Amino acid sequence: MKLVSDSELCKLAAEAMRGAYAPYSRYCVGAALLCSDGTVYTGCNIENASYTPTVCAERTAFFKAVSDGRREFVKIAVCGGKDSVISGAFPPCGVCRQVMSEFCDDTFEILVVQKEEPAAFDRFTLPQLLPLRFGPSYLTEEK
Ligand SMILES: [Zn+2]
């Protein structure tokens, strides 16, 4: 089975950004999540007038995948920015990192994509972005 390339995954994240619903922050973010079986799930951020129900692109992608029965993930590409004013790349928020922690092991990678140039990205592992993470192992007998 051939997995999608890193550059293809970054491109899919950039395309997913177009679906963002962000009338308040005007931050549009897209994510593309690669499952171990080669399936890719995309997601965008979806804001809400009462703010709290807002969900990030990364969690949208994860929840779509998990609701479809996927449980094993390889990497996620994230791309976003505020309109055309703020440029560059930004990493996933803490809540999204915690969601990744629920389903991913230490080899899981996060590709933080440059909004203007999807081929340019920084690569991180989950332990780099969420050291000493709280995961399922803390709630089970075997540690
Ligand atoms: Zn987030």
Side-chain angles (χ1 to χ4, degrees):
M1 171 196 49
K2 182 182 177 295
L3 297 180
V4 67
S5 70
D6 287 349
S7 61
E8 288 170 318
L9 197 66
C10 292
K11 199 172 156 205
L12 289 170
E15 288 171 7
M17 194 169 49
R18 293 197 201 110
Y21 176 76
Y24 311 110
S25 75
R26 302 185 68 95
Y27 265 93
C28 297
V29 185
L33 174 65
L34 176 61
C35 306
S36 60
D37 66 359
T39 309
V40 174
Y41 283 85
T42 59
C44 61
N45 56 322
I46 303 166
E47 293 185 345
N48 189 280
S50 69
Y51 292 115
T52 304
T54 295
V55 67
C56 300
E58 300 93 316
R59 276 178 286 149
T60 300
F62 263 93
F63 295 161
K64 284 168 68 180
V66 171
S67 68
D68 270 357
R70 301 301 192 287
R71 294 293 187 274
E72 295 180 10
F73 306 102
V74 179
K75 64 185 74 173
I76 190 169
V78 184
C79 182
K82 184 168 185 173
D83 292 337
S84 57
V85 180
I86 296 175
S87 61
F90 56 91
C93 78
V95 174
C96 288
R97 295 178 196 197
Q98 183 61 36
V99 167
M100 292 172 195
S101 174
E102 182 71 22
F103 296 102
C104 304
D105 64 22
D106 287 352
T107 65
F108 183 76
E109 293 181 337
I110 298 103
L111 310 181
V112 179
V113 184
Q114 296 287 334
K115 182 183 173 193
E116 303 80 6
E117 181 50 65
F121 61 87
D122 293 319
R123 183 189 310 271
F124 301 94
T125 62
L126 186 55
Q128 284 178 305
L129 295 188
L130 191 62
L132 205 61
R133 61 191 174 123
F134 185 88
S137 66
Y138 286 97
L139 301 177
T140 58
E141 292 298 319
E142 71 262 10
K143 275 200 64 166

PDB file of all heavy atoms in Angstrom, residues 99-117:
ATOM      1  N   VAL A  99      -5.722  15.624  21.997  1.00  0.00           N
ATOM      2  CA  VAL A  99      -6.518  14.674  21.202  1.00  0.00           C
ATOM      3  C   VAL A  99      -5.595  13.739  20.429  1.00  0.00           C
ATOM      4  O   VAL A  99      -5.818  12.530  20.376  1.00  0.00           O
ATOM      5  CB  VAL A  99      -7.478  15.433  20.258  1.00  0.00           C
ATOM      6  CG1 VAL A  99      -8.080  14.493  19.214  1.00  0.00           C
ATOM      7  CG2 VAL A  99      -8.584  16.085  21.068  1.00  0.00           C
ATOM      8  N   MET A 100      -4.528  14.279  19.859  1.00  0.00           N
ATOM      9  CA  MET A 100      -3.546  13.426  19.171  1.00  0.00           C
ATOM     10  C   MET A 100      -2.981  12.396  20.140  1.00  0.00           C
ATOM     11  O   MET A 100      -2.781  11.227  19.802  1.00  0.00           O
ATOM     12  CB  MET A 100      -2.403  14.279  18.605  1.00  0.00           C
ATOM     13  CG  MET A 100      -2.818  15.186  17.479  1.00  0.00           C
ATOM     14  SD  MET A 100      -1.471  16.303  17.028  1.00  0.00           S
ATOM     15  CE  MET A 100      -2.382  17.518  16.052  1.00  0.00           C
ATOM     16  N   SER A 101      -2.734  12.844  21.369  1.00  0.00           N
ATOM     17  CA  SER A 101      -2.148  11.974  22.384  1.00  0.00           C
ATOM     18  C   SER A 101      -3.029  10.766  22.685  1.00  0.00           C
ATOM     19  O   SER A 101      -2.533   9.699  23.042  1.00  0.00           O
ATOM     20  CB  SER A 101      -1.914  12.791  23.654  1.00  0.00           C
ATOM     21  OG  SER A 101      -1.476  11.981  24.696  1.00  0.00           O
ATOM     22  N   GLU A 102      -4.328  10.939  22.541  1.00  0.00           N
ATOM     23  CA  GLU A 102      -5.261   9.844  22.819  1.00  0.00           C
ATOM     24  C   GLU A 102      -5.088   8.688  21.830  1.00  0.00           C
ATOM     25  O   GLU A 102      -5.250   7.528  22.189  1.00  0.00           O
ATOM     26  CB  GLU A 102      -6.700  10.374  22.757  1.00  0.00           C
ATOM     27  CG  GLU A 102      -7.767   9.351  23.082  1.00  0.00           C
ATOM     28  CD  GLU A 102      -7.775   8.981  24.564  1.00  0.00           C
ATOM     29  OE1 GLU A 102      -7.272   9.770  25.388  1.00  0.00           O
ATOM     30  OE2 GLU A 102      -8.281   7.887  24.885  1.00  0.00           O
ATOM     31  N   PHE A 103      -4.771   9.017  20.587  1.00  0.00           N
ATOM     32  CA  PHE A 103      -4.786   8.011  19.534  1.00  0.00           C
ATOM     33  C   PHE A 103      -3.414   7.695  18.943  1.00  0.00           C
ATOM     34  O   PHE A 103      -3.296   6.742  18.171  1.00  0.00           O
ATOM     35  CB  PHE A 103      -5.708   8.473  18.403  1.00  0.00           C
ATOM     36  CG  PHE A 103      -7.142   8.605  18.831  1.00  0.00           C
ATOM     37  CD1 PHE A 103      -7.694   9.847  19.097  1.00  0.00           C
ATOM     38  CD2 PHE A 103      -7.931   7.475  19.003  1.00  0.00           C
ATOM     39  CE1 PHE A 103      -9.010   9.972  19.505  1.00  0.00           C
ATOM     40  CE2 PHE A 103      -9.254   7.592  19.411  1.00  0.00           C
ATOM     41  CZ  PHE A 103      -9.793   8.841  19.662  1.00  0.00           C
ATOM     42  N   CYS A 104      -2.404   8.486  19.265  1.00  0.00           N
ATOM     43  CA  CYS A 104      -1.139   8.356  18.533  1.00  0.00           C
ATOM     44  C   CYS A 104       0.012   7.993  19.458  1.00  0.00           C
ATOM     45  O   CYS A 104       0.057   8.430  20.608  1.00  0.00           O
ATOM     46  CB  CYS A 104      -0.819   9.673  17.827  1.00  0.00           C
ATOM     47  SG  CYS A 104      -2.144  10.215  16.729  1.00  0.00           S
ATOM     48  N   ASP A 105       0.961   7.250  18.907  1.00  0.00           N
ATOM     49  CA  ASP A 105       2.150   6.917  19.684  1.00  0.00           C
ATOM     50  C   ASP A 105       3.250   7.958  19.428  1.00  0.00           C
ATOM     51  O   ASP A 105       3.034   8.954  18.747  1.00  0.00           O
ATOM     52  CB  ASP A 105       2.627   5.490  19.390  1.00  0.00           C
ATOM     53  CG  ASP A 105       3.068   5.309  17.952  1.00  0.00           C
ATOM     54  OD1 ASP A 105       3.402   6.315  17.283  1.00  0.00           O
ATOM     55  OD2 ASP A 105       3.085   4.148  17.493  1.00  0.00           O
ATOM     56  N   ASP A 106       4.428   7.675  19.983  1.00  0.00           N
ATOM     57  CA  ASP A 106       5.504   8.665  19.925  1.00  0.00           C
ATOM     58  C   ASP A 106       6.070   8.877  18.524  1.00  0.00           C
ATOM     59  O   ASP A 106       6.838   9.809  18.299  1.00  0.00           O
ATOM     60  CB  ASP A 106       6.642   8.265  20.871  1.00  0.00           C
ATOM     61  CG  ASP A 106       6.264   8.486  22.324  1.00  0.00           C
ATOM     62  OD1 ASP A 106       5.201   9.084  22.585  1.00  0.00           O
ATOM     63  OD2 ASP A 106       7.030   8.045  23.204  1.00  0.00           O
ATOM     64  N   THR A 107       5.712   7.999  17.583  1.00  0.00           N
ATOM     65  CA  THR A 107       6.222   8.171  16.220  1.00  0.00           C
ATOM     66  C   THR A 107       5.335   9.084  15.376  1.00  0.00           C
ATOM     67  O   THR A 107       5.708   9.438  14.259  1.00  0.00           O
ATOM     68  CB  THR A 107       6.341   6.814  15.496  1.00  0.00           C
ATOM     69  OG1 THR A 107       5.030   6.260  15.325  1.00  0.00           O
ATOM     70  CG2 THR A 107       7.208   5.840  16.290  1.00  0.00           C
ATOM     71  N   PHE A 108       4.186   9.442  15.892  1.00  0.00           N
ATOM     72  CA  PHE A 108       3.258  10.282  15.125  1.00  0.00           C
ATOM     73  C   PHE A 108       3.917  11.624  14.817  1.00  0.00           C
ATOM     74  O   PHE A 108       4.546  12.235  15.676  1.00  0.00           O
ATOM     75  CB  PHE A 108       1.974  10.501  15.933  1.00  0.00           C
ATOM     76  CG  PHE A 108       0.926  11.284  15.193  1.00  0.00           C
ATOM     77  CD1 PHE A 108       0.183  10.684  14.187  1.00  0.00           C
ATOM     78  CD2 PHE A 108       0.678  12.615  15.508  1.00  0.00           C
ATOM     79  CE1 PHE A 108      -0.784  11.400  13.493  1.00  0.00           C
ATOM     80  CE2 PHE A 108      -0.291  13.338  14.822  1.00  0.00           C
ATOM     81  CZ  PHE A 108      -1.023  12.729  13.810  1.00  0.00           C
ATOM     82  N   GLU A 109       3.738  12.062  13.573  1.00  0.00           N
ATOM     83  CA  GLU A 109       4.377  13.308  13.138  1.00  0.00           C
ATOM     84  C   GLU A 109       3.353  14.395  12.842  1.00  0.00           C
ATOM     85  O   GLU A 109       2.258  14.121  12.372  1.00  0.00           O
ATOM     86  CB  GLU A 109       5.197  13.062  11.868  1.00  0.00           C
ATOM     87  CG  GLU A 109       6.398  12.173  12.103  1.00  0.00           C
ATOM     88  CD  GLU A 109       7.211  11.963  10.843  1.00  0.00           C
ATOM     89  OE1 GLU A 109       6.661  12.106   9.730  1.00  0.00           O
ATOM     90  OE2 GLU A 109       8.403  11.657  10.978  1.00  0.00           O
ATOM     91  N   ILE A 110       3.767  15.625  13.114  1.00  0.00           N
ATOM     92  CA  ILE A 110       2.961  16.806  12.812  1.00  0.00           C
ATOM     93  C   ILE A 110       3.760  17.665  11.833  1.00  0.00           C
ATOM     94  O   ILE A 110       4.886  18.086  12.136  1.00  0.00           O
ATOM     95  CB  ILE A 110       2.647  17.618  14.091  1.00  0.00           C
ATOM     96  CG1 ILE A 110       1.820  16.761  15.071  1.00  0.00           C
ATOM     97  CG2 ILE A 110       1.889  18.898  13.734  1.00  0.00           C
ATOM     98  CD1 ILE A 110       2.604  16.203  16.213  1.00  0.00           C
ATOM     99  N   LEU A 111       3.183  17.880  10.662  1.00  0.00           N
ATOM    100  CA  LEU A 111       3.822  18.717   9.645  1.00  0.00           C
ATOM    101  C   LEU A 111       3.154  20.087   9.692  1.00  0.00           C
ATOM    102  O   LEU A 111       1.963  20.218   9.383  1.00  0.00           O
ATOM    103  CB  LEU A 111       3.666  18.102   8.257  1.00  0.00           C
ATOM    104  CG  LEU A 111       4.051  16.619   8.114  1.00  0.00           C
ATOM    105  CD1 LEU A 111       3.854  16.158   6.671  1.00  0.00           C
ATOM    106  CD2 LEU A 111       5.475  16.368   8.586  1.00  0.00           C
ATOM    107  N   VAL A 112       3.900  21.077  10.117  1.00  0.00           N
ATOM    108  CA  VAL A 112       3.369  22.443  10.214  1.00  0.00           C
ATOM    109  C   VAL A 112       3.732  23.157   8.915  1.00  0.00           C
ATOM    110  O   VAL A 112       4.894  23.433   8.642  1.00  0.00           O
ATOM    111  CB  VAL A 112       3.941  23.174  11.452  1.00  0.00           C
ATOM    112  CG1 VAL A 112       3.395  24.592  11.529  1.00  0.00           C
ATOM    113  CG2 VAL A 112       3.600  22.397  12.716  1.00  0.00           C
ATOM    114  N   VAL A 113       2.700  23.449   8.150  1.00  0.00           N
ATOM    115  CA  VAL A 113       2.862  23.896   6.770  1.00  0.00           C
ATOM    116  C   VAL A 113       2.846  25.423   6.680  1.00  0.00           C
ATOM    117  O   VAL A 113       2.081  26.089   7.372  1.00  0.00           O
ATOM    118  CB  VAL A 113       1.713  23.322   5.901  1.00  0.00           C
ATOM    119  CG1 VAL A 113       1.909  23.679   4.438  1.00  0.00           C
ATOM    120  CG2 VAL A 113       1.615  21.815   6.084  1.00  0.00           C
ATOM    121  N   GLN A 114       3.688  25.939   5.797  1.00  0.00           N
ATOM    122  CA  GLN A 114       3.653  27.372   5.493  1.00  0.00           C
ATOM    123  C   GLN A 114       2.425  27.665   4.651  1.00  0.00           C
ATOM    124  O   GLN A 114       2.212  27.021   3.624  1.00  0.00           O
ATOM    125  CB  GLN A 114       4.905  27.786   4.715  1.00  0.00           C
ATOM    126  CG  GLN A 114       6.190  27.635   5.473  1.00  0.00           C
ATOM    127  CD  GLN A 114       6.352  28.696   6.542  1.00  0.00           C
ATOM    128  OE1 GLN A 114       5.798  29.786   6.427  1.00  0.00           O
ATOM    129  NE2 GLN A 114       7.103  28.373   7.575  1.00  0.00           N
ATOM    130  N   LYS A 115       1.627  28.645   5.074  1.00  0.00           N
ATOM    131  CA  LYS A 115       0.383  28.930   4.367  1.00  0.00           C
ATOM    132  C   LYS A 115       0.633  29.293   2.897  1.00  0.00           C
ATOM    133  O   LYS A 115      -0.082  28.869   2.002  1.00  0.00           O
ATOM    134  CB  LYS A 115      -0.341  30.085   5.065  1.00  0.00           C
ATOM    135  CG  LYS A 115      -1.661  30.436   4.437  1.00  0.00           C
ATOM    136  CD  LYS A 115      -2.262  31.642   5.162  1.00  0.00           C
ATOM    137  CE  LYS A 115      -3.505  32.144   4.449  1.00  0.00           C
ATOM    138  NZ  LYS A 115      -3.908  33.455   4.926  1.00  0.00           N
ATOM    139  N   GLU A 116       1.654  30.073   2.646  1.00  0.00           N
ATOM    140  CA  GLU A 116       1.896  30.538   1.275  1.00  0.00           C
ATOM    141  C   GLU A 116       2.587  29.490   0.416  1.00  0.00           C
ATOM    142  O   GLU A 116       2.565  29.568  -0.800  1.00  0.00           O
ATOM    143  CB  GLU A 116       2.786  31.796   1.271  1.00  0.00           C
ATOM    144  CG  GLU A 116       2.249  32.953   2.066  1.00  0.00           C
ATOM    145  CD  GLU A 116       2.505  32.806   3.546  1.00  0.00           C
ATOM    146  OE1 GLU A 116       3.204  31.847   3.950  1.00  0.00           O
ATOM    147  OE2 GLU A 116       1.990  33.621   4.317  1.00  0.00           O
ATOM    148  N   GLU A 117       3.245  28.554   1.062  1.00  0.00           N
ATOM    149  CA  GLU A 117       4.037  27.593   0.311  1.00  0.00           C
ATOM    150  C   GLU A 117       3.846  26.202   0.903  1.00  0.00           C
ATOM    151  O   GLU A 117       4.618  25.782   1.770  1.00  0.00           O
ATOM    152  CB  GLU A 117       5.520  28.008   0.367  1.00  0.00           C
ATOM    153  CG  GLU A 117       6.446  27.109  -0.400  1.00  0.00           C
ATOM    154  CD  GLU A 117       5.982  26.840  -1.820  1.00  0.00           C
ATOM    155  OE1 GLU A 117       5.941  27.786  -2.611  1.00  0.00           O
ATOM    156  OE2 GLU A 117       5.619  25.686  -2.125  1.00  0.00           O
TER     157      GLU A 117
END
